[in-house]
Amino acid sequence: MAKPFDCLLRLRFICTPTLVALCWVFFSCENQQPQTAQLVILGGEYYTADSAVTDPQSIAVIDGKIALVGTRDEAQSWIGPNTKVLDGDGLFIMPGLIEGHGHFFGLGQSLHNLNFLKSTSWDSIAAMLVQKVDQTPENHWIIGRGWHQEKISIPADQSVQGYPTHQYLTEAAPNNPVMLTHASGHALIANLKAMQLAGVSKESADPAGGHILRDANGNPTGVFEERAMEMIKSAFNESQTTLSKSDKDKQRELWLKLAQSECLKKGITTFHDAGTSIEDLIWLRQYTDSVDIDIRLWLMIREKLEDLQGQLSQFPWIGLADDHLTVRALKSEIDGALGSYGAWLLKPYNDKPSFDGQNTTPLTNLKGIAELAKSHKLQLCVHAIGDRGNRIVLDLFEEMFKAQELPNTWRWRVEHAQHLHPDDIPRFAELGAIAAMQAVHCTSDAPFVVERLGVDRAYQGAYAWRSLLETGAWVSNGTDAPVEDVDPLPSLYASFTRKRPGDTEAFMPHQTITRQEALFSYTMANAYAGFEEHLKGSLTVGKLGDITIFNKNLFNCPEDEFLDAKVEYTIIGGRIVYQRQGH
Ligand SMILES: [Zn+2]
């Protein structure tokens, strides 16, 4: 970057200058525009996530990277005729928010499909379905997500073991197969048409690692838990295989665009995707070769062991499409979710004393996936919710790390790390394993955590943010969208309050972290969890110009105003990719 000062320096080294040459040099320097910024933000209040930066008042971005974090006067000299200048006064400027664990295509699909996250009754879900049936051709699948039996009222005659039955769905949609996934993603409800297509009947046996709910007569009620979901899903997938390639590509593009615009609106500049098939990844790579996308995607490969073998030599992909596409991790899972009794526990459930949860991936397969990750130098990210699930995953990491280089060069991740035995809490820091958590799960699950685990287990190791940080572990943050809304604010709020919006009481408040730690978890910790701390996570000169701007100071606004904060601008690589209306 040539600055006027550079020109003067250059003059000093001219040994035998003629007057003409001197004039020429002087003239050219005078006329040479110093390189100017594409974007300058003047003023505002800052959270930089970089303790080396003191009293920042302005930022300049050149060629997609942060070139200055400094004073207003310094920033003024970077403004040229083509510089976009933002007035930061009254605004809060922070590093671009990173979603640390979500499902990108799942989010896009959920925005396209029925969404019941805000539904409070089974009647209202059925009413939404009736509307969708009107817009859907016969025999086409209707997909939805987000219901939770603990959060909706269910008529008594339509409830078995606390879950709704398929009766309403079957009446509302007699000619369309319907598949509505539970908010946790670990159970689903299907209507009769879908069960018929899947070949499910009274005689169908429970598959290993899964459960078909049945009524008093042994008939399937429509609810399928964990691995049993695959019976319905494979019927749906079968219908998708008949889609033409161009229909499939159109569908992917639609989901990508829906997910992207939702993320940008909510201030997210990078999205960690917790598991996409190799086929979808290859499509994404081809797509980003020809079409510019705004959001930066960091994705985990998710396939069964047998489908991974022989397919991994093409990975990792790091920083493709101008740092918009990175694939350097494998995803697996050891157990299910707490709400649907899938979390694998060391001791039985408090409210299901004969049951200790489900192991969803056979341990030999999990080890096989870990070995593939190791030999291909990929990160391994394993979903673990229950304390037994977490312990076995940490044991596996420890076994794989043995006699290897320093563990923090691996950064293997435990996705969720929700319920930990106190003995296992220090092991994350010892192993250099990342606790890839989602604070909003804590507050969403709060109504049933004590029921499932009992007070002692919940107190000692449920969503143990503070304890993990105190041991020196890296704790990343996110929402698991579309399990939860992708909005980072409720998750940040849950991190430092352990409350949902409107709650007066905090859930296990001894595990609360500070606001600063919460903001750090959504920026630097997430960057670190993806080996990207040299590129992202703080407002530091040389890093990518990814910046999120709010209308309120998230650092010091009153707690009851925090959730009212609005994203004013989302900036990626110095380009404004979202701007709130009215600005
Ligand atoms: Zn997930």
Side-chain angles (χ1 to χ4, degrees):
M1 282 159 264
K3 303 280 290 172
F5 186 61
D6 296 335
C7 291
L8 291 174
L9 274 180
R10 224 181 292 158
L11 276 174
R12 287 181 54 197
F13 291 99
I14 298 172
C15 302
T16 53
T18 63
L19 189 61
V20 174
L22 250 179
C23 285
W24 179 82
V25 171
F26 185 69
F27 182 78
S28 69
C29 279
E30 280 294 283
N31 283 287
Q32 184 183 329
Q33 275 289 339
Q35 191 176 2
T36 56
Q38 68 186 105
L39 173 78
V40 164
I41 304 167
L42 284 178
E45 295 172 50
Y46 288 77
Y47 168 69
T48 62
D50 182 348
S51 55
V53 182
T54 52
D55 192 26
Q57 299 160 7
S58 291
I59 285 190
V61 180
I62 294 182
D63 292 338
K65 295 202 169 138
I66 297 173
L68 170 89
V69 185
T71 64
R72 270 176 186 267
D73 286 348
E74 285 171 314
Q76 289 285 358
S77 69
W78 294 92
I79 298 174
N82 298 319
T83 304
K84 171 85 184 166
V85 180
L86 291 184
D87 176 6
D89 283 336
L91 301 178
F92 178 71
I93 294 130
M94 65 176 292
L97 286 158
I98 300 173
E99 164 60 59
H101 174 126
H103 301 270
F104 191 69
F105 287 106
L107 172 61
Q109 188 180 7
S110 79
L111 293 164
H112 177 62
N113 295 335
L114 291 169
N115 185 330
F116 309 119
L117 280 176
K118 296 196 168 85
S119 301
T120 54
S121 74
W122 193 236
D123 288 337
S124 64
I125 289 174
M128 284 165 73
L129 181 62
V130 168
Q131 253 185 7
K132 196 78 178 176
V133 169
D134 281 346
Q135 309 154 4
T136 310
E138 250 183 41
N139 294 318
H140 279 226
W141 282 75
I142 296 175
I143 306 296
R145 183 168 181 142
W147 62 274
H148 196 301
Q149 76 282 9
E150 309 270 350
K151 295 173 189 168
I152 55 173
S153 58
I154 308 166
D157 63 335
Q158 302 224 13
S159 166
V160 170
Q161 293 181 41
Y163 282 102
T165 66
H166 71 84
Q167 199 179 318
Y168 266 14
L169 310 185
T170 297
E171 282 166 16
N175 301 315
N176 296 90
V178 176
M179 175 170 76
L180 310 181
T181 306
H182 192 266
S184 69
H186 291 266
L188 63 80
I189 183 161
N191 71 344
L192 192 60
K193 179 94 180 171
M195 287 193 278
Q196 283 167 347
L197 286 172
V200 173
S201 69
K202 196 174 176 177
E203 283 70 42
S204 303
D206 283 4
H211 182 51
I212 303 171
L213 234 67
R214 297 164 204 269
D215 62 19
N217 301 319
N219 293 310
T221 65
V223 173
F224 296 77
E225 291 177 338
E226 304 296 348
R227 292 279 177 203
M229 294 193 292
E230 280 169 23
M231 302 167 89
I232 304 296
K233 279 185 179 174
S234 53
F236 168 69
N237 291 340
E238 184 68 35
S239 77
Q240 296 292 291
T241 57
T242 57
L243 282 180
S244 67
K245 187 182 174 309
S246 86
D247 278 350
K248 224 178 194 178
D249 290 351
K250 271 187 219 144
Q251 199 175 55
R252 287 178 176 125
E253 188 176 12
L254 172 73
W255 293 348
L256 182 148
K257 286 182 172 165
L258 287 168
Q260 173 171 262
S261 71
E262 183 75 1
C263 289
L264 301 182
K265 203 164 82 184
K266 291 176 173 167
I268 295 160
T269 55
T270 291
F271 191 103
H272 286 201
D273 173 80
T276 287
S277 69
I278 292 176
E279 186 190 330
D280 286 346
L281 291 172
I282 289 170
W283 174 84
L284 194 55
R285 180 167 181 166
Q286 284 164 354
Y287 185 78
T288 54
D289 272 348
S290 53
V291 179
D292 287 338
I293 61 168
D294 291 326
I295 195 160
R296 302 189 196 273
L297 295 173
W298 184 102
L299 306 105
M300 306 171 198
I301 305 160
R302 185 183 196 176
E303 296 281 1
K304 291 193 188 108
L305 174 62
E306 54 272 28
D307 298 326
L308 286 171
Q309 279 152 343
Q311 288 231 63
L312 290 178
S313 53
Q314 59 188 307
F315 298 104
W317 301 342
I318 296 175
L320 303 188
D322 196 18
D323 281 316
H324 284 75
L325 178 63
T326 289
V327 179
R328 59 180 310 160
L330 293 185
K331 169 78 188 304
S332 190
E333 48 278 308
I334 194 164
D335 63 359
L338 186 73
S340 52
Y341 300 94
W344 199 14
L345 303 178
L346 289 163
K347 291 190 177 142
Y349 281 84
N350 191 50
D351 56 349
K352 205 170 180 183
S354 57
F355 197 66
D356 62 8
Q358 278 166 343
N359 168 218
T360 53
T361 304
L363 297 181
T364 47
N365 290 24
L366 187 57
K367 191 164 177 206
I369 292 173
E371 266 154 8
L372 284 176
K374 185 175 164 181
S375 60
H376 289 273
K377 295 195 165 36
L378 299 169
Q379 275 174 280
L380 178 65
C381 312
V382 186
H383 163 121
I385 304 265
D387 49 10
R388 183 183 298 271
N390 275 278
R391 175 166 292 176
I392 294 175
V393 170
L394 291 169
D395 288 348
L396 174 68
F397 286 9
E398 193 169 339
E399 187 190 330
M400 303 298 288
F401 293 153
K402 245 177 226 156
Q404 295 294 320
E405 47 194 322
L406 283 173
N408 67 10
T409 61
W410 291 51
R411 300 191 196 173
W412 282 12
R413 305 171 34 153
V414 182
E415 304 300 317
H416 312 306
Q418 269 181 16
H419 305 292
L420 304 173
H421 188 281
D423 293 350
D424 292 323
I425 292 175
R427 298 178 71 202
F428 285 82
E430 285 161 19
L431 292 168
I434 288 155
M437 302 176 80
Q438 301 76 36
V440 70
H441 276 337
C442 162
T443 49
S444 294
D445 294 358
F448 56 81
V449 174
V450 172
E451 238 167 82
R452 298 280 189 279
L453 297 179
V455 177
D456 289 348
R457 272 190 298 195
Y459 184 84
Q460 288 171 357
Y463 316 89
W465 285 69
R466 162 83 17 233
S467 304
L468 281 162
L469 286 181
E470 276 169 8
T471 62
W474 282 87
V475 181
S476 60
N477 209 343
T479 62
D480 207 3
V483 175
E484 308 274 357
D485 192 306
V486 75
D487 187 355
L489 289 177
S491 208
L492 286 165
Y493 183 77
S495 310
F496 69 85
T497 65
R498 307 277 285 193
K499 288 180 198 163
R500 282 178 303 183
D503 280 355
T504 48
E505 263 184 59
F507 175 80
M508 303 294 168
H510 61 290
Q511 291 293 357
T512 305
I513 63 173
T514 65
R515 251 191 238 208
Q516 181 167 5
E517 287 164 339
L519 292 173
F520 188 87
S521 71
Y522 242 100
T523 50
M524 268 309 283
N526 282 349
Y528 181 89
F531 278 105
E532 294 192 322
E533 70 274 19
H534 61 295
L535 287 176
K536 303 171 185 172
S538 67
L539 298 178
T540 303
V541 171
K543 288 198 184 183
L544 295 169
D546 296 357
I547 302 164
T548 304
I549 303 183
F550 285 93
N551 67 345
K552 254 182 216 301
N553 189 323
L554 299 187
F555 212 72
N556 60 22
C557 69
E559 192 179 301
D560 60 359
E561 289 179 18
F562 187 88
L563 290 165
D564 301 331
K566 299 273 181 289
V567 174
E568 293 289 338
Y569 297 98
T570 306
I571 295 164
I572 297 181
R575 245 170 21 88
I576 297 171
V577 290
Y578 167 78
Q579 182 171 356
R580 189 156 75 103
Q581 281 187 346
H583 284 263

